């Protein structure tokens, strides 16, 4: 790789379980900042800052004075979830907004028999149901009603706001929400039950903590509204849900846009707090906005555990006593491809309601977002970072090259395939030439000289198609 090549673009990483999306960015920066791979990018940023006026340098906050590899992500994954997390580097961060509307593919494990306030195994039990008669056939039949275009209510613990306040805060405070939560139309283009776990054959567990009665009452009222809205086409005018007024609709749209904006700014501020490992008092002070590259010194060793690490306790060990008697409930792994705005854990919860037993999301993995596929050529494993730059450097370099020239891989594969298919012919010609007299073989050797192939024109940054982002904090949303 060229030592002076500035690498920018978009790639994906397999986010580990229990880690926030912002923490993944901080960990990447700890490795990228002191690396040879991104040294030209940092040097470019340093030269640009040296050209800034004193006023421009003064406007930069102290937290942003250190030079680091500029990074962002194209759609949050909750700590409970793993899988494809799209990352932008340098100018590639400008393309992250393009991932707001692309489809995503998920694999989720649904545990039957109980519902929680968060719709997943990290919450508190709201209610339990009878699960003895839940079978694979019954679950597959119930899934039929979730294919195609459906209406879905966001989880109460989502990041949506009402009157400028997140819904989950109403739940935590035990206060009634000011008005009904409006359901929204989403689309499920593919939905399949791929694996069935009979009772007693899996290690998934309900949480042991139950919600307080005030919270149960609030959640019950929200669920009743969801059922009434879903049945709006068959109800009388008196039973039909109240539609939002234009003012309320404008308020909700504005609040959601404000939340997403504040969330991105907050994550940028958090990312900017990544600092050197030496004590603050001994750090080199800079003047006029500070144009010193921030070198973490973390290359080649484990990054320090940040606040965004280990946020979710791991699944219980097999010898942990289950919170039920007998074999317990069944579980299922479901694969789905969905449009933007979809909440996977809402699907898990609603499936349990459809079966009359309750259900929650136990695991979640995003296997695809747009053209980024888990295990594909443009998605790196997080553990590669721990192996040092000699391991992750060539892979990240190749992925960013692929982003800037998406046709390069296809051309390389085509060329390789062509060379392999022509290898026997070339060998036969070589054997024939070796058997000829020297004076006859020389012209043949001269005839082998070929013109160099024309290099393909590089594609511009951001040429990758597809977009998407989940609604704020929800891990199971798109």
């Amino acid at each position: 790789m060229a030592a002076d090549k500035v690498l920018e673009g978009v790639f994906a990483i397999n986010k580990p379980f229990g880690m926030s999306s912002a923490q993944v960015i901080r960990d990447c920066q700890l490795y990228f900042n002191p690396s040879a791979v991104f040294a030209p990018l940092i040097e470019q940023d340093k030269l640009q800052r040296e050209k800034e006026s004193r006023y421009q340098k003064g406007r930069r906050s102290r937290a942003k004075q250190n030079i680091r590899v500029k990074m962002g992500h194209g759609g949050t994954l909750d700590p409970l979830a793993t899988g494809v997390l799209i990352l932008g580097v340098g100018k590639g961060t400008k393309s992250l907004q393009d991932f707001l509307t692309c489809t995503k593919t998920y694999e989720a494990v649904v545990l039957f028999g109980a519902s929680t306030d968060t719709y997943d195994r990290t919450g508190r039990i709201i209610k339990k149901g009878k699960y003895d008669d839940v079978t694979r056939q019954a679950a597959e039949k119930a899934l039929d009603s979730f294919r195609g275009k459906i209406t879905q209510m966001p989880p109460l613990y989502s990041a949506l706001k009402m009157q400028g306040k997140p819904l989950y805060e109403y739940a935590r405070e035990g206060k009634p929400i000011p008005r009904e939560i409006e359901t929204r139309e989403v689309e499920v283009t593919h939905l399949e039950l791929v694996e069935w776990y009979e009772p007693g054959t899996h290690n998934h567990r309900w949480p042991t903590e139950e919600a307080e009665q005030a919270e149960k009452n609030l959640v019950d009222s929200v669920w009743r509204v969801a059922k009434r809205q879903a049945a709006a086409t068959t109800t009388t005018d008196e039973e039909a849900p109240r539609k939002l007024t234009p003012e309320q609709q404008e308020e909700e749209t504005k609040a959601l846009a404000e939340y997403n904006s504040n969330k991105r700014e907050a994550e940028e501020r958090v990312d900017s707090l990544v600092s050197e490992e030496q004590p603050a008092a001994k750090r080199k002070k800079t003047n006029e906005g500070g144009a010193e590259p921030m070198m973490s010194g973390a290359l080649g060793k484990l990054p320090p555990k940040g606040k965004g690490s280990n946020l979710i306790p791991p699944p219980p060990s097999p010898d942990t006593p289950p919170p039920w008697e007998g074999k317990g409930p069944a579980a299922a792994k479901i694969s789905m491809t969905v449009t933007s705005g979809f909440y996977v854990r809402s699907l898990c919860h609603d499936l349990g309601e459809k079966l009359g037993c309750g259900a929650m999301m136990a695991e979640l993995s995003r296997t695809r977002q747009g053209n980024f596929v888990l295990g594909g050529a443009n998605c790196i494993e997080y553990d590669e970072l721990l192996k040092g730059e000699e391991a992750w450097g060539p892979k990240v370099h190749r992925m960013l090259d692929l982003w800037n020239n998406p046709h390069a891989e296809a051309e390389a594969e085509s060329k390789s395939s062509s060379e392999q298919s022509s290898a026997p012919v070339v060998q036969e010609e070589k054997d024939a030439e070796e058997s000829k007299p020297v004076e006859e073989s020389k012209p043949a050797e001269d005839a082998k000289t070929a013109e160099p192939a024309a290099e393909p024109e590089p594609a511009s940054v951001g040429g990758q198609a597809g977009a998407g982002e989940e609604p704020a904090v929800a891990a199971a949303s798109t």
Side-chain angles (χ1 to χ4, degrees), residues 323-350:
W324 52 66
E325 296 181 359
K327 291 185 177 181
K333 178 181 288 188
I334 299 174
S335 174
M336 68 203 79
T337 299
V338 298
T339 58
S340 181
F342 188 91
Y343 287 88
V344 179
R345 51 197 174 123
S346 284
L347 172 66
C348 298
H349 169 82
D350 295 344

Side-chain angles (χ1 to χ4, degrees), residues 447-467:
K448 289 182 180 180
T449 304
E451 296 182 2
E455 295 184 0
E457 294 184 3
S460 60
V461 175
Q464 189 90 353

Side-chain angles (χ1 to χ4, degrees), residues 289-305:
E292 291 297 323
M294 192 195 76
M295 298 301 178
S296 68
L299 190 63
K301 64 179 180 179
L302 292 174
K305 293 293 182 181

